[in-house]
Amino acid sequence: MQVLVTGGAGYIGSHTVLSLLQSQYDVVVLDNLSNSSVESIKRVEHITGKSVTFIEGDVCDKAKLRQVFSDYTIESVIHFAALKAVGESAQIPLSYYQTNVHGSVCLLEVMQENKVNNFIFSSSATVYGEENQVPYVETMKLGTPSSPYGATKVMVERILADVALANAKFRGVSLRYFNPIGAHESGMIGEDPKGIPNNLLPYVAQVAVGKRDKLSIFGDDYPTQDGSCERDYLHVMDLAQGHVAALDWLNCHGDFTGVEAFNLGTGNGVSVFAIVNTFEQATDQRIPFEVSPRRAGDLAAFWANATKANQALNWQAKRSLQQMMIDTWRWQSNNPNGYLEQ
């Protein structure tokens, strides 16, 4: 069974490709390498002892997509390829709508042409917006997100619902998750953002390894326990295994049609200050920081109720916050320049 993973050379994508290979799936990766490296795929192959078919290309390129579906017997698609930074999306919204929404439409159109109906969408907890109360549950209506990034995820989820109404054979899963952190326990693959990291833990790790002078904490006056934002941090390997569990679920429920949403999370909100403290304790590295103004689009706190995924997918987050820190530091200290040659 060949699975197409778009954005499969990226952070979450590469860990999911690894998990798919370990679960005996054959994987084809499509990635434009805009915020990733093909080195991640080479290392996944090294860890697993299995080969991955890699194609450099963009999900907005329908000719390339048609070639992929012509050359390979794709039976399922896991769709990661997207721009993903909340703050950046407020600065360059058109790029986010182009890549995240138009790219998804192009992919779905080519899938439809080739009668491929199994689709797992890497969505986001931001689809719950500001109206819904935490902890978020899947029965809540899609909200109005506070950023263009979140808006693109809502749009794609609505598109999937409409596709399912129009195509009785369509089988979609939307995985809504929060803040993936950590790295594979080998220390060989991890998060390697190009340029200045937009996410918290890669920035913390780069401060620890000496690439950055200090961390900026955006706001300490939120209505939370310590004034900093609270998020549901999830180990990337737990998240990767959640995607495989969703694919297994689709394959075991041949009569299912439509779109089903699942939250993937720990069910616990952790503050930015707590992340910094836990990292320092777990790694013996000091992280100097300063408090900066709030960022546009940041909500005070959100976390998941993952009961549905626990029960239906037989999935749960198993790795501790301390493990997330240890694995992050192993990756960063072994690869101070990421996937660039040391």
Side-chain angles (χ1 to χ4, degrees), residues 11-279:
Y11 173 44
I12 307 165
S14 60
H15 288 78
T16 300
V17 168
L18 187 152
S19 293
L20 286 165
L21 294 172
Q22 291 177 331
S23 297
Q24 312 309 316
Y25 286 100
D26 289 331
V27 181
V28 177
V29 168
L30 177 76
D31 199 302
N32 69 1
L33 303 180
S34 64
N35 192 32
S36 57
S37 170
V38 72
E39 177 65 22
S40 68
I41 298 300
K42 294 176 182 176
R43 296 191 185 189
V44 165
E45 291 178 320
H46 179 81
I47 293 167
T48 61
K50 298 182 178 181
S51 62
V52 177
T53 299
F54 176 79
I55 299 143
E56 185 173 350
D58 196 292
V59 287
C60 295
D61 183 348
K62 288 176 73 173
K64 175 69 75 171
L65 288 172
R66 289 189 177 106
Q67 188 66 51
V68 171
F69 279 83
S70 172
D71 290 347
Y72 304 96
T73 309
I74 305 299
E75 294 183 292
S76 304
V77 175
I78 302 180
H79 181 37
F80 289 106
L83 301 175
K84 64 175 187 175
V86 169
E88 182 185 64
S89 75
Q91 299 166 349
I92 52 170
L94 293 178
S95 295
Y96 274 69
Y97 290 113
Q98 172 72 16
T99 299
N100 297 9
V101 180
H102 177 62
S104 298
V105 170
C106 290
L107 179 59
L108 289 162
E109 284 177 336
V110 176
M111 285 177 62
Q112 184 173 281
E113 292 171 8
N114 289 273
K115 297 181 171 57
V116 177
N117 292 305
N118 295 337
F119 188 77
I120 293 176
F121 176 51
S122 187
S123 189
S124 168
T126 58
V127 300
Y128 291 107
E130 299 184 60
E131 306 95 310
N132 290 306
Q133 298 297 307
V134 293
Y136 298 140
V137 292
E138 295 88 348
T139 51
M140 292 173 172
K141 290 184 178 179
L142 294 174
T144 305
S146 58
S147 70
Y149 164 76
T152 67
K153 294 295 187 180
V154 168
M155 286 181 184
V156 175
E157 287 214 18
R158 288 188 172 138
I159 289 166
L160 294 180
D162 289 338
V163 168
L165 287 173
N167 176 5
K169 294 182 178 180
F170 187 77
R171 295 150 46 78
V173 173
S174 285
L175 297 178
R176 299 169 179 170
Y177 55 90
F178 299 79
N179 289 55
I181 57 176
H184 186 258
E185 60 187 12
S186 66
M188 290 186 66
I189 61 170
E191 189 165 9
D192 181 27
K194 294 186 177 178
I196 299 173
N198 283 300
N199 296 329
L200 173 62
L201 205 61
Y203 207 108
V204 168
Q206 288 192 9
V207 170
V209 84
K211 285 189 74 173
R212 310 280 169 193
D213 291 336
K214 58 188 172 184
L215 171 70
S216 290
I217 294 177
F218 298 103
D220 63 352
D221 57 351
Y222 284 96
T224 58
Q225 192 166 353
D226 62 20
S228 65
C229 289
E230 294 176 351
R231 297 289 182 264
D232 193 337
Y233 291 94
L234 176 66
H235 197 294
V236 67
M237 284 305 300
D238 282 333
L239 178 57
Q241 287 158 3
H243 283 76
V244 177
L247 184 56
D248 290 342
W249 180 83
L250 269 184
N251 291 331
C252 290
H253 292 76
D255 57 346
F256 166 76
T257 58
V259 182
E260 200 73 41
F262 295 97
N263 289 336
L264 299 180
T266 64
N268 299 307
V270 179
S271 75
V272 176
F273 286 126
I275 287 286
V276 173
N277 291 337
T278 306
F279 186 90

